[in-house]
Amino acid sequence: MSSSVSPLAPKHVPDMPVIAGVRLATAEAGIRYKNRTDVLLAVMDKGTAVAGVFTKSKCPSAPVEWCRAKLKGGKARALVVNSGNANAFTGKTGRSSTALTAKIAAKAVGCTEGEIFLASTGVIGEPLDATKFDGVLGRLAETAEAGDYLAAAKAIMTTDTFPKVATATVKLGKAKVTINGMAKGAGMIAPDMATMLSFIFTDAPIAPAALQALLKSGVEDTFNAVTIDGDTSTSDTLLAFATGAAAEHGAPKISRATDPRLKAFVKAFNQVLANLSEQVARDGEGARKLVEITVEGAKTKASARKIAMSIANSPLVKTAIAGEDANWGRVVMAVGKAGEPADRDKLSISFNGIRVAKSGARDPSYDEAQVSEAMKAPEIAIKVSLGLGKGRDRVLTCDLTKEYVAINGDYRS
């Protein structure tokens, strides 16, 4: 966790309302850090539905494997998250640690181990001493309150420079329902679902299968459209919990994701995901520029996504932006290497609304001074027009600075 906050951090932190059926507590367990909270316990009421999406890494952490297995039950009573240690690449010891953590949490909450969900973030390859949770989780279960999402978000930070929270309130039937979310992530971020840790809570009465479908769909243009460095973590986890408490106030029980009564809820749910994913991009390690890359005129949306990601993950593009250089040649390079349909002579490129290249050559009206001034802005929009079809997509990234190297050069030290 950095002592200096990213200059791209949101200027306003929302007041996070209480969600009926969810209680939170944090503590210092001494997992790796000193003098800071490093464990979060979220306790949910009986009957809470759960959904999740996880990393596609072939080297997943032990908590990811645990959650995948327990997700089949569809119900959750507690979530335990620790920072400082990813419990990844830890073999049988890692699996034993997850089992022990779940056992301790289940006893503290009063539920089955199959209703416990786990997430860990931090250093890969270091054994996690789960005995440090003994006693701690019991105290947290007793003191948990319906409340402080900001403190919860702080407890799960690693190289993050600010806690990431978002909220939305919307009508479901005749009742008001709330969606709260938190996320952590600043490096080792690339779309392969999810690209960090994130947890969503709602009091809407939504069945597990419907919640799973909403979550899987919602991540595609949010968390799956963000990249910091092109590296997908072993621990990526996004879990959603629906307590169903709003049913007492007239919210209809939803069993299908296609239920037309969900229209406003889905929009608000996706807005929370989009807000959190943008905050991850804003907190990219060492970032000084938020970069939005839009590709239009592609053969398909999928093709546009691949090209946009090729640009977003290019160290040459990212360092040019860090240097405030509108080097469209590097964008041309990234388009060309993407392996997707492209026609050099139809290609147009703009930076922050200023067209710098048109029809495969420098724009006739190009003004170096004008473009250089535009590149000083903290937010940079790169737009690429391929002129081949109707495919369009958008991704978020950030620049690549010396600070990124410094942060990752001594991450374990």
Side-chain angles (χ1 to χ4, degrees):
M1 183 164 57
S2 175
S3 58
S4 60
V5 177
S6 167
L8 302 173
K11 304 303 181 187
H12 171 71
V13 178
D15 292 327
M16 301 293 287
V18 167
I19 289 183
V22 179
R23 296 181 294 123
L24 306 170
T26 63
E28 297 180 24
I31 302 299
R32 177 178 176 84
Y33 306 117
K34 295 181 180 180
N35 302 317
R36 59 152 286 191
T37 55
D38 60 359
V39 60
L40 160 68
L41 174 67
V43 182
M44 279 78 71
D45 284 354
K46 291 181 180 179
T48 295
V50 61
V53 286
F54 308 93
T55 181
K56 293 179 183 176
S57 170
K58 300 302 182 183
C59 299
S61 69
V64 165
E65 291 183 321
W66 175 275
C67 287
R68 280 178 176 155
K70 305 311 175 188
L71 200 64
K72 298 173 185 178
K75 299 297 180 181
R77 287 295 313 284
L79 166 70
V80 180
V81 189
N82 75 269
S83 58
N85 186 312
N87 195 12
F89 204 67
T90 47
K92 292 182 179 179
T93 300
R95 291 190 286 275
S96 296
S97 293
T98 58
L100 179 56
T101 303
K103 182 178 180 180
I104 295 170
K107 181 179 179 181
V109 174
C111 67
T112 67
E113 292 167 26
E115 296 173 296
I116 302 295
F117 287 79
L118 308 172
S120 299
T121 179
V123 174
I124 294 171
E126 294 289 337
L128 174 63
D129 182 4
T131 62
K132 291 187 176 182
F133 295 126
D134 200 6
V136 173
L137 295 182
R139 292 195 300 273
L140 292 181
E142 292 176 357
T143 59
E145 296 180 344
D148 197 342
Y149 286 86
L150 197 62
K154 288 180 179 178
I156 64 175
M157 292 165 60
T158 51
T159 59
D160 305 63
T161 72
F162 61 88
K164 302 165 183 65
V165 293
T167 186
T169 301
V170 67
K171 278 287 193 72
L172 180 58
K174 296 181 179 180
K176 181 178 73 173
V177 297
T178 302
I179 306 163
N180 283 354
M182 69 181 83
K184 68 81 52 186
M188 202 181 292
I189 303 291
D192 211 357
M193 206 54 265
T195 47
M196 31 79 256
L197 300 185
S198 186
F199 309 105
I200 311 297
F201 303 88
T202 181
D203 53 356
I206 302 178
L211 189 62
Q212 183 67 38
L214 293 180
L215 190 63
K216 185 176 180 180
S217 174
V219 299
E220 285 307 313
D221 289 328
T222 57
F223 282 111
N224 268 359
V226 173
T227 179
I228 300 301
D229 45 27
D231 287 330
T232 299
S233 172
T234 59
S235 306
D236 301 339
T237 298
L238 172 51
L239 294 170
F241 303 94
T243 69
E248 297 180 4
H249 304 287
K253 295 183 178 181
I254 304 296
S255 60
R256 297 178 296 106
T258 55
D259 191 317
R261 294 172 294 182
L262 271 180
K263 185 176 181 180
F265 179 89
V266 170
K267 183 178 180 180
F269 186 80
N270 290 344
Q271 284 175 343
V272 169
L273 295 178
N275 188 317
L276 291 172
S277 61
E278 180 174 315
Q279 289 187 57
V280 170
R282 287 181 176 275
D283 204 18
E285 290 172 340
R288 293 296 178 267
K289 309 276 189 183
L290 176 68
V291 185
E292 178 187 65
I293 299 169
T294 302
V295 175
E296 63 181 19
K299 287 284 190 179
T300 63
K301 175 181 171 66
S303 180
R305 170 67 61 90
K306 289 181 180 179
I307 293 171
M309 282 295 175
S310 179
I311 298 168
N313 283 323
S314 166
L316 291 177
V317 172
K318 293 161 73 71
T319 50
I321 294 170
E324 300 182 342
D325 179 12
N327 191 336
W328 69 87
R330 294 180 175 181
V331 176
V332 172
M333 172 278 299
V335 172
K337 74 169 185 175
E340 293 296 313
D343 185 332
R344 178 197 61 200
D345 296 332
K346 293 182 178 180
L347 191 64
S348 295
I349 301 168
S350 66
F351 288 83
N352 276 7
I354 302 171
R355 193 169 61 192
V356 296
K358 178 185 178 183
S359 302
R362 185 172 70 179
D363 192 281
S365 63
Y366 178 78
D367 183 330
E368 180 74 29
Q370 180 190 28
V371 178
S372 294
E373 184 63 28
M375 294 301 291
K376 294 178 182 179
E379 299 184 9
I380 304 297
I382 299 176
K383 184 176 181 179
V384 174
S385 299
L386 299 173
L388 300 178
K390 296 182 179 180
R392 185 182 188 277
D393 207 355
R394 162 191 174 273
V395 302
L396 293 176
T397 188
C398 61
D399 56 346
L400 179 60
T401 67
K402 294 178 181 178
E403 285 79 9
Y404 179 89
V405 177
I407 291 167
N408 287 284
D410 62 2
Y411 182 66
R412 291 200 315 136
S413 302

